[in-house]
Amino acid sequence: MSNTNDPYKNNGQNTYQGSVNQGRDEALKGQKPSAQQPGESYTSYQTRMGSYSSNKS
């Protein structure tokens, strides 16, 4: 499933890398990690949380 409203995962971008990038960007901006999105697989969500955690200062 792809979520076309998610800028990290559309435009043919790899969903794994999109998840990693989103988690990293949210961590670096000091934002709270966003909740699991409609159309986002649980695996993508877990990837994003892992990326968030590893980039959180």
Side-chain angles (χ1 to χ4, degrees):
M1 277 173 89
S2 62
N3 181 352
T4 53
N5 294 327
D6 187 339
Y8 290 95
K9 298 190 182 73
N10 62 12
N11 302 323
Q13 187 174 24
N14 180 286
T15 54
Y16 175 81
Q17 192 59 49
S19 297
V20 170
N21 291 348
Q22 184 176 2
R24 182 194 64 211
D25 290 352
E26 288 177 349
L28 296 179
K29 289 175 187 168
Q31 300 170 342
K32 285 189 164 67
S34 45
Q36 186 171 357
Q37 303 301 308
E40 178 180 34
S41 70
Y42 186 69
T43 306
S44 288
Y45 176 69
Q46 291 294 90
T47 300
R48 191 153 59 75
M49 292 301 106
S51 175
Y52 181 86
S53 297
S54 60
N55 285 284
K56 194 163 171 13
S57 51

